[in-house]
Amino acid sequence: DGGITQSPKYLFRKEGQNVTLSCEQNLNHDAMYWYRQDPGQGLRLIYYSQIVNDFQKGDIAEGYSVSREKKESFPLTVTSAQKNPTAFYLCASRYTADTYEQYFGPGTRLTVT
Amino acid sequence: AQSVTQPDIHITVSEGASLELRCNYSYGATPYLFWYVQSPGQGLQLLLKYFSGDTLVQGIKGFEAEFKRSQSSFNLRKPSVHWSDAAEYFCAVGLNNNDMRFGAGTRLTVKP
């Protein structure tokens, strides 16, 4: 089955530690996205990548980093510089010849204490 | 400022009643428009989309939405709500620069 997988579903870390969230897709999509979701705020774009080895900052990139070494994979690292890292993180992908429709993974809930 | 507005944070309807969720956008050109649904702790699933043509679009799970250019709206409707429709609903706008903007969401509660 084609789709987007995010792992783990739940992640717990201590403050001051970096943590990497996994996102993999087998849809052969060109573009991949990371969003952060907080209650009552909808989705906010962290980073996106349209091709391998290239990515752009979204609206709230501070404290986050990404890489895109393979078309299928777009991991997100939440660094210790992110002031409020506890949130629900969603990965999405899109076939760029399509009209902007994005497909979403199941999400990772990160809790930092 | 460019934005997507969902005026209702939370809506409660009785099972079997009709539903309308509101969405307004403020972008210069007619953008691509989407409605997504999210069950608790899950990702987003696309319900329907509008790009051009017929302003009334049909989606999955019996949902439909109507684009009204004069009102900059793209409201989601369902004639008869089922208990399984309880979820959070997001309106989204696809912009020309390969960007998508989401509303803050409307949480739907369905009463038995």
PDB file of all heavy atoms in Angstrom, chain A residues 37-43, chain B residues 6 8-11 21 35-45 47 63 76 84-91 103-109:
ATOM      1  N   GLN A  37       1.289  21.295  14.671  1.00  0.00           N
ATOM      2  CA  GLN A  37      -0.100  21.552  15.021  1.00  0.00           C
ATOM      3  C   GLN A  37      -0.212  21.747  16.527  1.00  0.00           C
ATOM      4  O   GLN A  37       0.199  20.892  17.312  1.00  0.00           O
ATOM      5  CB  GLN A  37      -0.998  20.399  14.578  1.00  0.00           C
ATOM      6  CG  GLN A  37      -2.475  20.666  14.801  1.00  0.00           C
ATOM      7  CD  GLN A  37      -3.360  19.553  14.298  1.00  0.00           C
ATOM      8  OE1 GLN A  37      -2.936  18.419  14.125  1.00  0.00           O
ATOM      9  NE2 GLN A  37      -4.616  19.877  14.027  1.00  0.00           N
ATOM     10  N   ASP A  38      -0.776  22.873  16.924  1.00  0.00           N
ATOM     11  CA  ASP A  38      -1.080  23.165  18.316  1.00  0.00           C
ATOM     12  C   ASP A  38      -2.573  23.406  18.425  1.00  0.00           C
ATOM     13  O   ASP A  38      -3.203  23.884  17.477  1.00  0.00           O
ATOM     14  CB  ASP A  38      -0.310  24.413  18.779  1.00  0.00           C
ATOM     15  CG  ASP A  38       1.191  24.215  18.747  1.00  0.00           C
ATOM     16  OD1 ASP A  38       1.698  23.553  19.665  1.00  0.00           O
ATOM     17  OD2 ASP A  38       1.839  24.708  17.799  1.00  0.00           O
ATOM     18  N   PRO A  39      -3.150  23.095  19.574  1.00  0.00           N
ATOM     19  CA  PRO A  39      -4.608  23.248  19.734  1.00  0.00           C
ATOM     20  C   PRO A  39      -5.067  24.659  19.382  1.00  0.00           C
ATOM     21  O   PRO A  39      -4.501  25.651  19.847  1.00  0.00           O
ATOM     22  CB  PRO A  39      -4.820  22.946  21.222  1.00  0.00           C
ATOM     23  CG  PRO A  39      -3.672  22.077  21.599  1.00  0.00           C
ATOM     24  CD  PRO A  39      -2.507  22.554  20.782  1.00  0.00           C
ATOM     25  N   GLY A  40      -6.090  24.749  18.553  1.00  0.00           N
ATOM     26  CA  GLY A  40      -6.678  26.034  18.209  1.00  0.00           C
ATOM     27  C   GLY A  40      -5.876  26.868  17.223  1.00  0.00           C
ATOM     28  O   GLY A  40      -6.260  28.007  16.933  1.00  0.00           O
ATOM     29  N   GLN A  41      -4.782  26.322  16.694  1.00  0.00           N
ATOM     30  CA  GLN A  41      -3.954  27.124  15.781  1.00  0.00           C
ATOM     31  C   GLN A  41      -3.833  26.526  14.398  1.00  0.00           C
ATOM     32  O   GLN A  41      -3.094  27.030  13.573  1.00  0.00           O
ATOM     33  CB  GLN A  41      -2.550  27.306  16.371  1.00  0.00           C
ATOM     34  CG  GLN A  41      -2.534  28.129  17.633  1.00  0.00           C
ATOM     35  CD  GLN A  41      -1.141  28.591  17.987  1.00  0.00           C
ATOM     36  OE1 GLN A  41      -0.391  29.045  17.133  1.00  0.00           O
ATOM     37  NE2 GLN A  41      -0.779  28.485  19.256  1.00  0.00           N
ATOM     38  N   GLY A  42      -4.511  25.460  14.122  1.00  0.00           N
ATOM     39  CA  GLY A  42      -4.377  24.878  12.798  1.00  0.00           C
ATOM     40  C   GLY A  42      -2.977  24.342  12.573  1.00  0.00           C
ATOM     41  O   GLY A  42      -2.270  23.969  13.510  1.00  0.00           O
ATOM     42  N   LEU A  43      -2.560  24.310  11.323  1.00  0.00           N
ATOM     43  CA  LEU A  43      -1.254  23.776  10.955  1.00  0.00           C
ATOM     44  C   LEU A  43      -0.345  24.923  10.535  1.00  0.00           C
ATOM     45  O   LEU A  43      -0.751  25.801   9.765  1.00  0.00           O
ATOM     46  CB  LEU A  43      -1.390  22.802   9.779  1.00  0.00           C
ATOM     47  CG  LEU A  43      -1.815  21.376  10.106  1.00  0.00           C
ATOM     48  CD1 LEU A  43      -3.235  21.314  10.615  1.00  0.00           C
ATOM     49  CD2 LEU A  43      -1.641  20.493   8.890  1.00  0.00           C
TER      50      LEU A  43
ATOM     51  N   GLN B   6     -11.900  30.218   9.732  1.00  0.00           N
ATOM     52  CA  GLN B   6     -13.009  29.334  10.078  1.00  0.00           C
ATOM     53  C   GLN B   6     -13.633  29.938  11.333  1.00  0.00           C
ATOM     54  O   GLN B   6     -13.081  29.822  12.428  1.00  0.00           O
ATOM     55  CB  GLN B   6     -12.513  27.913  10.322  1.00  0.00           C
ATOM     56  CG  GLN B   6     -11.965  27.260   9.063  1.00  0.00           C
ATOM     57  CD  GLN B   6     -11.501  25.839   9.311  1.00  0.00           C
ATOM     58  OE1 GLN B   6     -10.321  25.531   9.213  1.00  0.00           O
ATOM     59  NE2 GLN B   6     -12.442  24.959   9.620  1.00  0.00           N
ATOM     60  N   ASP B   8     -16.104  29.328  13.281  1.00  0.00           N
ATOM     61  CA  ASP B   8     -16.634  28.495  14.360  1.00  0.00           C
ATOM     62  C   ASP B   8     -15.563  27.564  14.888  1.00  0.00           C
ATOM     63  O   ASP B   8     -15.069  26.712  14.161  1.00  0.00           O
ATOM     64  CB  ASP B   8     -17.825  27.677  13.851  1.00  0.00           C
ATOM     65  CG  ASP B   8     -18.894  28.565  13.255  1.00  0.00           C
ATOM     66  OD1 ASP B   8     -19.358  29.463  13.966  1.00  0.00           O
ATOM     67  OD2 ASP B   8     -19.247  28.367  12.075  1.00  0.00           O
ATOM     68  N   ILE B   9     -15.197  27.741  16.147  1.00  0.00           N
ATOM     69  CA  ILE B   9     -14.172  26.882  16.753  1.00  0.00           C
ATOM     70  C   ILE B   9     -14.759  25.507  17.041  1.00  0.00           C
ATOM     71  O   ILE B   9     -14.104  24.475  16.862  1.00  0.00           O
ATOM     72  CB  ILE B   9     -13.653  27.512  18.045  1.00  0.00           C
ATOM     73  CG1 ILE B   9     -12.947  28.834  17.738  1.00  0.00           C
ATOM     74  CG2 ILE B   9     -12.716  26.568  18.783  1.00  0.00           C
ATOM     75  CD1 ILE B   9     -12.556  29.621  18.969  1.00  0.00           C
ATOM     76  N   HIS B  10     -16.028  25.502  17.499  1.00  0.00           N
ATOM     77  CA  HIS B  10     -16.644  24.249  17.910  1.00  0.00           C
ATOM     78  C   HIS B  10     -18.124  24.291  17.528  1.00  0.00           C
ATOM     79  O   HIS B  10     -18.796  25.301  17.783  1.00  0.00           O
ATOM     80  CB  HIS B  10     -16.491  24.075  19.430  1.00  0.00           C
ATOM     81  CG  HIS B  10     -17.035  22.791  19.952  1.00  0.00           C
ATOM     82  ND1 HIS B  10     -17.468  22.653  21.257  1.00  0.00           N
ATOM     83  CD2 HIS B  10     -17.229  21.585  19.361  1.00  0.00           C
ATOM     84  CE1 HIS B  10     -17.906  21.403  21.442  1.00  0.00           C
ATOM     85  NE2 HIS B  10     -17.759  20.745  20.308  1.00  0.00           N
ATOM     86  N   ILE B  11     -18.603  23.228  16.936  1.00  0.00           N
ATOM     87  CA  ILE B  11     -20.016  23.109  16.571  1.00  0.00           C
ATOM     88  C   ILE B  11     -20.536  21.781  17.082  1.00  0.00           C
ATOM     89  O   ILE B  11     -19.838  20.755  16.981  1.00  0.00           O
ATOM     90  CB  ILE B  11     -20.201  23.205  15.044  1.00  0.00           C
ATOM     91  CG1 ILE B  11     -20.065  24.647  14.585  1.00  0.00           C
ATOM     92  CG2 ILE B  11     -21.540  22.640  14.620  1.00  0.00           C
ATOM     93  CD1 ILE B  11     -20.298  24.849  13.107  1.00  0.00           C
ATOM     94  N   LEU B  21     -20.240  23.965   7.772  1.00  0.00           N
ATOM     95  CA  LEU B  21     -19.039  24.542   8.370  1.00  0.00           C
ATOM     96  C   LEU B  21     -18.546  25.657   7.461  1.00  0.00           C
ATOM     97  O   LEU B  21     -18.386  25.465   6.254  1.00  0.00           O
ATOM     98  CB  LEU B  21     -17.952  23.474   8.522  1.00  0.00           C
ATOM     99  CG  LEU B  21     -18.322  22.246   9.366  1.00  0.00           C
ATOM    100  CD1 LEU B  21     -17.134  21.297   9.458  1.00  0.00           C
ATOM    101  CD2 LEU B  21     -18.797  22.652  10.742  1.00  0.00           C
ATOM    102  N   TRP B  35     -10.982  20.986   1.748  1.00  0.00           N
ATOM    103  CA  TRP B  35     -11.434  20.640   3.088  1.00  0.00           C
ATOM    104  C   TRP B  35     -10.798  19.310   3.478  1.00  0.00           C
ATOM    105  O   TRP B  35     -10.854  18.332   2.717  1.00  0.00           O
ATOM    106  CB  TRP B  35     -12.948  20.510   3.166  1.00  0.00           C
ATOM    107  CG  TRP B  35     -13.667  21.797   3.384  1.00  0.00           C
ATOM    108  CD1 TRP B  35     -14.287  22.577   2.449  1.00  0.00           C
ATOM    109  CD2 TRP B  35     -13.856  22.467   4.639  1.00  0.00           C
ATOM    110  NE1 TRP B  35     -14.850  23.680   3.051  1.00  0.00           N
ATOM    111  CE2 TRP B  35     -14.595  23.641   4.385  1.00  0.00           C
ATOM    112  CE3 TRP B  35     -13.480  22.180   5.963  1.00  0.00           C
ATOM    113  CZ2 TRP B  35     -14.959  24.523   5.396  1.00  0.00           C
ATOM    114  CZ3 TRP B  35     -13.844  23.061   6.959  1.00  0.00           C
ATOM    115  CH2 TRP B  35     -14.571  24.208   6.672  1.00  0.00           C
ATOM    116  N   TYR B  36     -10.200  19.319   4.685  1.00  0.00           N
ATOM    117  CA  TYR B  36      -9.621  18.107   5.254  1.00  0.00           C
ATOM    118  C   TYR B  36     -10.348  17.782   6.560  1.00  0.00           C
ATOM    119  O   TYR B  36     -10.845  18.674   7.248  1.00  0.00           O
ATOM    120  CB  TYR B  36      -8.140  18.311   5.579  1.00  0.00           C
ATOM    121  CG  TYR B  36      -7.197  18.310   4.400  1.00  0.00           C
ATOM    122  CD1 TYR B  36      -6.941  19.471   3.689  1.00  0.00           C
ATOM    123  CD2 TYR B  36      -6.539  17.146   4.019  1.00  0.00           C
ATOM    124  CE1 TYR B  36      -6.045  19.476   2.627  1.00  0.00           C
ATOM    125  CE2 TYR B  36      -5.641  17.134   2.961  1.00  0.00           C
ATOM    126  CZ  TYR B  36      -5.401  18.304   2.274  1.00  0.00           C
ATOM    127  OH  TYR B  36      -4.511  18.294   1.220  1.00  0.00           O
ATOM    128  N   VAL B  37     -10.317  16.492   6.930  1.00  0.00           N
ATOM    129  CA  VAL B  37     -10.879  16.056   8.200  1.00  0.00           C
ATOM    130  C   VAL B  37      -9.790  15.343   8.997  1.00  0.00           C
ATOM    131  O   VAL B  37      -8.940  14.642   8.411  1.00  0.00           O
ATOM    132  CB  VAL B  37     -12.102  15.137   8.001  1.00  0.00           C
ATOM    133  CG1 VAL B  37     -11.740  13.876   7.236  1.00  0.00           C
ATOM    134  CG2 VAL B  37     -12.751  14.793   9.336  1.00  0.00           C
ATOM    135  N   GLN B  38      -9.802  15.553  10.304  1.00  0.00           N
ATOM    136  CA  GLN B  38      -8.812  14.935  11.173  1.00  0.00           C
ATOM    137  C   GLN B  38      -9.488  14.299  12.380  1.00  0.00           C
ATOM    138  O   GLN B  38     -10.132  15.002  13.163  1.00  0.00           O
ATOM    139  CB  GLN B  38      -7.781  15.968  11.648  1.00  0.00           C
ATOM    140  CG  GLN B  38      -6.672  15.386  12.498  1.00  0.00           C
ATOM    141  CD  GLN B  38      -5.714  16.444  13.013  1.00  0.00           C
ATOM    142  OE1 GLN B  38      -6.114  17.563  13.315  1.00  0.00           O
ATOM    143  NE2 GLN B  38      -4.428  16.099  13.102  1.00  0.00           N
ATOM    144  N   SER B  39      -9.352  13.001  12.535  1.00  0.00           N
ATOM    145  CA  SER B  39      -9.807  12.326  13.736  1.00  0.00           C
ATOM    146  C   SER B  39      -8.749  12.508  14.815  1.00  0.00           C
ATOM    147  O   SER B  39      -7.577  12.739  14.514  1.00  0.00           O
ATOM    148  CB  SER B  39     -10.048  10.848  13.458  1.00  0.00           C
ATOM    149  OG  SER B  39     -11.074  10.692  12.509  1.00  0.00           O
ATOM    150  N   PRO B  40      -9.121  12.414  16.082  1.00  0.00           N
ATOM    151  CA  PRO B  40      -8.166  12.676  17.173  1.00  0.00           C
ATOM    152  C   PRO B  40      -6.892  11.853  17.053  1.00  0.00           C
ATOM    153  O   PRO B  40      -6.933  10.642  16.876  1.00  0.00           O
ATOM    154  CB  PRO B  40      -8.970  12.293  18.420  1.00  0.00           C
ATOM    155  CG  PRO B  40     -10.385  12.511  18.032  1.00  0.00           C
ATOM    156  CD  PRO B  40     -10.475  12.124  16.589  1.00  0.00           C
ATOM    157  N   GLY B  41      -5.763  12.541  17.141  1.00  0.00           N
ATOM    158  CA  GLY B  41      -4.476  11.866  17.104  1.00  0.00           C
ATOM    159  C   GLY B  41      -4.087  11.293  15.764  1.00  0.00           C
ATOM    160  O   GLY B  41      -3.145  10.503  15.674  1.00  0.00           O
ATOM    161  N   GLN B  42      -4.782  11.700  14.713  1.00  0.00           N
ATOM    162  CA  GLN B  42      -4.518  11.164  13.376  1.00  0.00           C
ATOM    163  C   GLN B  42      -4.062  12.258  12.424  1.00  0.00           C
ATOM    164  O   GLN B  42      -4.100  13.446  12.758  1.00  0.00           O
ATOM    165  CB  GLN B  42      -5.776  10.503  12.825  1.00  0.00           C
ATOM    166  CG  GLN B  42      -6.319   9.381  13.673  1.00  0.00           C
ATOM    167  CD  GLN B  42      -5.356   8.228  13.783  1.00  0.00           C
ATOM    168  OE1 GLN B  42      -4.737   7.811  12.807  1.00  0.00           O
ATOM    169  NE2 GLN B  42      -5.211   7.697  14.992  1.00  0.00           N
ATOM    170  N   GLY B  43      -3.649  11.843  11.232  1.00  0.00           N
ATOM    171  CA  GLY B  43      -3.322  12.798  10.194  1.00  0.00           C
ATOM    172  C   GLY B  43      -4.577  13.357   9.545  1.00  0.00           C
ATOM    173  O   GLY B  43      -5.698  13.071   9.967  1.00  0.00           O
ATOM    174  N   LEU B  44      -4.380  14.157   8.512  1.00  0.00           N
ATOM    175  CA  LEU B  44      -5.496  14.784   7.812  1.00  0.00           C
ATOM    176  C   LEU B  44      -5.865  13.970   6.582  1.00  0.00           C
ATOM    177  O   LEU B  44      -4.995  13.494   5.852  1.00  0.00           O
ATOM    178  CB  LEU B  44      -5.133  16.210   7.386  1.00  0.00           C
ATOM    179  CG  LEU B  44      -5.315  17.321   8.405  1.00  0.00           C
ATOM    180  CD1 LEU B  44      -4.353  17.163   9.572  1.00  0.00           C
ATOM    181  CD2 LEU B  44      -5.130  18.684   7.737  1.00  0.00           C
ATOM    182  N   GLN B  45      -7.167  13.867   6.349  1.00  0.00           N
ATOM    183  CA  GLN B  45      -7.671  13.169   5.171  1.00  0.00           C
ATOM    184  C   GLN B  45      -8.426  14.172   4.308  1.00  0.00           C
ATOM    185  O   GLN B  45      -9.261  14.935   4.818  1.00  0.00           O
ATOM    186  CB  GLN B  45      -8.592  12.027   5.584  1.00  0.00           C
ATOM    187  CG  GLN B  45      -9.171  11.250   4.403  1.00  0.00           C
ATOM    188  CD  GLN B  45     -10.160  10.175   4.831  1.00  0.00           C
ATOM    189  OE1 GLN B  45     -10.732  10.229   5.921  1.00  0.00           O
ATOM    190  NE2 GLN B  45     -10.360   9.201   3.970  1.00  0.00           N
ATOM    191  N   LEU B  47     -11.195  15.631   2.134  1.00  0.00           N
ATOM    192  CA  LEU B  47     -12.619  15.401   1.892  1.00  0.00           C
ATOM    193  C   LEU B  47     -13.006  15.793   0.471  1.00  0.00           C
ATOM    194  O   LEU B  47     -13.736  15.064  -0.203  1.00  0.00           O
ATOM    195  CB  LEU B  47     -13.461  16.225   2.866  1.00  0.00           C
ATOM    196  CG  LEU B  47     -13.579  15.738   4.299  1.00  0.00           C
ATOM    197  CD1 LEU B  47     -14.360  16.763   5.123  1.00  0.00           C
ATOM    198  CD2 LEU B  47     -14.246  14.382   4.368  1.00  0.00           C
ATOM    199  N   PHE B  63     -20.026  14.446   1.908  1.00  0.00           N
ATOM    200  CA  PHE B  63     -19.814  15.884   2.055  1.00  0.00           C
ATOM    201  C   PHE B  63     -19.820  16.591   0.700  1.00  0.00           C
ATOM    202  O   PHE B  63     -19.452  16.008  -0.320  1.00  0.00           O
ATOM    203  CB  PHE B  63     -18.486  16.161   2.758  1.00  0.00           C
ATOM    204  CG  PHE B  63     -18.506  15.892   4.234  1.00  0.00           C
ATOM    205  CD1 PHE B  63     -18.134  14.655   4.730  1.00  0.00           C
ATOM    206  CD2 PHE B  63     -18.901  16.877   5.126  1.00  0.00           C
ATOM    207  CE1 PHE B  63     -18.165  14.393   6.094  1.00  0.00           C
ATOM    208  CE2 PHE B  63     -18.929  16.634   6.487  1.00  0.00           C
ATOM    209  CZ  PHE B  63     -18.559  15.383   6.974  1.00  0.00           C
ATOM    210  N   LEU B  76     -18.536  24.005   3.839  1.00  0.00           N
ATOM    211  CA  LEU B  76     -18.703  22.549   3.771  1.00  0.00           C
ATOM    212  C   LEU B  76     -20.081  22.178   4.310  1.00  0.00           C
ATOM    213  O   LEU B  76     -20.498  22.703   5.351  1.00  0.00           O
ATOM    214  CB  LEU B  76     -17.618  21.875   4.607  1.00  0.00           C
ATOM    215  CG  LEU B  76     -17.597  20.348   4.636  1.00  0.00           C
ATOM    216  CD1 LEU B  76     -17.126  19.787   3.304  1.00  0.00           C
ATOM    217  CD2 LEU B  76     -16.681  19.862   5.763  1.00  0.00           C
ATOM    218  N   SER B  84     -20.068   9.102  13.326  1.00  0.00           N
ATOM    219  CA  SER B  84     -18.672   8.932  12.922  1.00  0.00           C
ATOM    220  C   SER B  84     -18.085  10.196  12.278  1.00  0.00           C
ATOM    221  O   SER B  84     -16.872  10.236  11.994  1.00  0.00           O
ATOM    222  CB  SER B  84     -18.553   7.765  11.945  1.00  0.00           C
ATOM    223  OG  SER B  84     -19.333   8.009  10.792  1.00  0.00           O
ATOM    224  N   ASP B  85     -18.914  11.199  12.032  1.00  0.00           N
ATOM    225  CA  ASP B  85     -18.397  12.453  11.468  1.00  0.00           C
ATOM    226  C   ASP B  85     -17.759  13.345  12.534  1.00  0.00           C
ATOM    227  O   ASP B  85     -17.145  14.370  12.183  1.00  0.00           O
ATOM    228  CB  ASP B  85     -19.526  13.230  10.784  1.00  0.00           C
ATOM    229  CG  ASP B  85     -20.051  12.516   9.555  1.00  0.00           C
ATOM    230  OD1 ASP B  85     -19.245  11.884   8.843  1.00  0.00           O
ATOM    231  OD2 ASP B  85     -21.280  12.581   9.305  1.00  0.00           O
ATOM    232  N   ALA B  86     -17.881  12.998  13.782  1.00  0.00           N
ATOM    233  CA  ALA B  86     -17.253  13.788  14.836  1.00  0.00           C
ATOM    234  C   ALA B  86     -15.742  13.797  14.637  1.00  0.00           C
ATOM    235  O   ALA B  86     -15.099  12.748  14.598  1.00  0.00           O
ATOM    236  CB  ALA B  86     -17.595  13.219  16.199  1.00  0.00           C
ATOM    237  N   ALA B  87     -15.188  14.998  14.488  1.00  0.00           N
ATOM    238  CA  ALA B  87     -13.766  15.143  14.143  1.00  0.00           C
ATOM    239  C   ALA B  87     -13.462  16.629  14.090  1.00  0.00           C
ATOM    240  O   ALA B  87     -14.306  17.466  14.385  1.00  0.00           O
ATOM    241  CB  ALA B  87     -13.467  14.493  12.789  1.00  0.00           C
ATOM    242  N   GLU B  88     -12.254  16.945  13.666  1.00  0.00           N
ATOM    243  CA  GLU B  88     -11.906  18.337  13.418  1.00  0.00           C
ATOM    244  C   GLU B  88     -11.781  18.533  11.911  1.00  0.00           C
ATOM    245  O   GLU B  88     -11.224  17.686  11.208  1.00  0.00           O
ATOM    246  CB  GLU B  88     -10.593  18.712  14.109  1.00  0.00           C
ATOM    247  CG  GLU B  88     -10.250  20.184  14.005  1.00  0.00           C
ATOM    248  CD  GLU B  88      -9.720  20.756  15.315  1.00  0.00           C
ATOM    249  OE1 GLU B  88      -9.212  19.978  16.124  1.00  0.00           O
ATOM    250  OE2 GLU B  88      -9.808  21.990  15.498  1.00  0.00           O
ATOM    251  N   TYR B  89     -12.286  19.654  11.454  1.00  0.00           N
ATOM    252  CA  TYR B  89     -12.334  19.929  10.023  1.00  0.00           C
ATOM    253  C   TYR B  89     -11.515  21.177   9.716  1.00  0.00           C
ATOM    254  O   TYR B  89     -11.660  22.206  10.396  1.00  0.00           O
ATOM    255  CB  TYR B  89     -13.789  20.125   9.571  1.00  0.00           C
ATOM    256  CG  TYR B  89     -14.576  18.841   9.651  1.00  0.00           C
ATOM    257  CD1 TYR B  89     -15.096  18.395  10.860  1.00  0.00           C
ATOM    258  CD2 TYR B  89     -14.760  18.050   8.519  1.00  0.00           C
ATOM    259  CE1 TYR B  89     -15.787  17.204  10.942  1.00  0.00           C
ATOM    260  CE2 TYR B  89     -15.464  16.859   8.587  1.00  0.00           C
ATOM    261  CZ  TYR B  89     -15.961  16.436   9.811  1.00  0.00           C
ATOM    262  OH  TYR B  89     -16.645  15.245   9.882  1.00  0.00           O
ATOM    263  N   PHE B  90     -10.683  21.059   8.701  1.00  0.00           N
ATOM    264  CA  PHE B  90      -9.807  22.161   8.315  1.00  0.00           C
ATOM    265  C   PHE B  90     -10.077  22.576   6.883  1.00  0.00           C
ATOM    266  O   PHE B  90     -10.086  21.745   5.971  1.00  0.00           O
ATOM    267  CB  PHE B  90      -8.334  21.759   8.438  1.00  0.00           C
ATOM    268  CG  PHE B  90      -7.873  21.549   9.847  1.00  0.00           C
ATOM    269  CD1 PHE B  90      -7.907  20.294  10.409  1.00  0.00           C
ATOM    270  CD2 PHE B  90      -7.421  22.614  10.603  1.00  0.00           C
ATOM    271  CE1 PHE B  90      -7.486  20.082  11.722  1.00  0.00           C
ATOM    272  CE2 PHE B  90      -7.001  22.424  11.914  1.00  0.00           C
ATOM    273  CZ  PHE B  90      -7.035  21.156  12.473  1.00  0.00           C
ATOM    274  N   CYS B  91     -10.263  23.864   6.712  1.00  0.00           N
ATOM    275  CA  CYS B  91     -10.311  24.450   5.389  1.00  0.00           C
ATOM    276  C   CYS B  91      -8.891  24.871   5.028  1.00  0.00           C
ATOM    277  O   CYS B  91      -8.124  25.314   5.900  1.00  0.00           O
ATOM    278  CB  CYS B  91     -11.240  25.666   5.426  1.00  0.00           C
ATOM    279  SG  CYS B  91     -11.403  26.546   3.877  1.00  0.00           S
ATOM    280  N   GLY B 103      -6.899  26.947   7.840  1.00  0.00           N
ATOM    281  CA  GLY B 103      -7.647  27.613   8.881  1.00  0.00           C
ATOM    282  C   GLY B 103      -7.336  26.968  10.226  1.00  0.00           C
ATOM    283  O   GLY B 103      -6.653  25.937  10.298  1.00  0.00           O
ATOM    284  N   ALA B 104      -7.854  27.561  11.286  1.00  0.00           N
ATOM    285  CA  ALA B 104      -7.575  27.073  12.636  1.00  0.00           C
ATOM    286  C   ALA B 104      -8.370  25.822  12.981  1.00  0.00           C
ATOM    287  O   ALA B 104      -8.099  25.186  13.996  1.00  0.00           O
ATOM    288  CB  ALA B 104      -7.858  28.177  13.656  1.00  0.00           C
ATOM    289  N   GLY B 105      -9.345  25.476  12.147  1.00  0.00           N
ATOM    290  CA  GLY B 105     -10.098  24.253  12.367  1.00  0.00           C
ATOM    291  C   GLY B 105     -11.413  24.491  13.085  1.00  0.00           C
ATOM    292  O   GLY B 105     -11.566  25.455  13.842  1.00  0.00           O
ATOM    293  N   THR B 106     -12.380  23.603  12.808  1.00  0.00           N
ATOM    294  CA  THR B 106     -13.655  23.579  13.517  1.00  0.00           C
ATOM    295  C   THR B 106     -13.850  22.177  14.068  1.00  0.00           C
ATOM    296  O   THR B 106     -13.800  21.206  13.311  1.00  0.00           O
ATOM    297  CB  THR B 106     -14.837  23.919  12.583  1.00  0.00           C
ATOM    298  OG1 THR B 106     -14.683  25.247  12.088  1.00  0.00           O
ATOM    299  CG2 THR B 106     -16.156  23.793  13.324  1.00  0.00           C
ATOM    300  N   ARG B 107     -14.058  22.115  15.358  1.00  0.00           N
ATOM    301  CA  ARG B 107     -14.275  20.791  15.977  1.00  0.00           C
ATOM    302  C   ARG B 107     -15.766  20.491  15.967  1.00  0.00           C
ATOM    303  O   ARG B 107     -16.568  21.303  16.434  1.00  0.00           O
ATOM    304  CB  ARG B 107     -13.738  20.777  17.403  1.00  0.00           C
ATOM    305  CG  ARG B 107     -13.845  19.401  18.078  1.00  0.00           C
ATOM    306  CD  ARG B 107     -12.926  19.314  19.279  1.00  0.00           C
ATOM    307  NE  ARG B 107     -13.247  20.299  20.306  1.00  0.00           N
ATOM    308  CZ  ARG B 107     -14.070  20.076  21.334  1.00  0.00           C
ATOM    309  NH1 ARG B 107     -14.649  18.905  21.466  1.00  0.00           N
ATOM    310  NH2 ARG B 107     -14.296  21.017  22.232  1.00  0.00           N
ATOM    311  N   LEU B 108     -16.114  19.341  15.433  1.00  0.00           N
ATOM    312  CA  LEU B 108     -17.515  18.922  15.338  1.00  0.00           C
ATOM    313  C   LEU B 108     -17.812  17.851  16.372  1.00  0.00           C
ATOM    314  O   LEU B 108     -17.146  16.815  16.416  1.00  0.00           O
ATOM    315  CB  LEU B 108     -17.822  18.380  13.947  1.00  0.00           C
ATOM    316  CG  LEU B 108     -19.222  17.778  13.767  1.00  0.00           C
ATOM    317  CD1 LEU B 108     -20.289  18.854  13.920  1.00  0.00           C
ATOM    318  CD2 LEU B 108     -19.343  17.089  12.403  1.00  0.00           C
ATOM    319  N   THR B 109     -18.818  18.123  17.183  1.00  0.00           N
ATOM    320  CA  THR B 109     -19.351  17.131  18.123  1.00  0.00           C
ATOM    321  C   THR B 109     -20.719  16.708  17.621  1.00  0.00           C
ATOM    322  O   THR B 109     -21.530  17.557  17.223  1.00  0.00           O
ATOM    323  CB  THR B 109     -19.467  17.721  19.536  1.00  0.00           C
ATOM    324  OG1 THR B 109     -18.150  18.081  19.992  1.00  0.00           O
ATOM    325  CG2 THR B 109     -20.071  16.724  20.504  1.00  0.00           C
TER     326      THR B 109
END
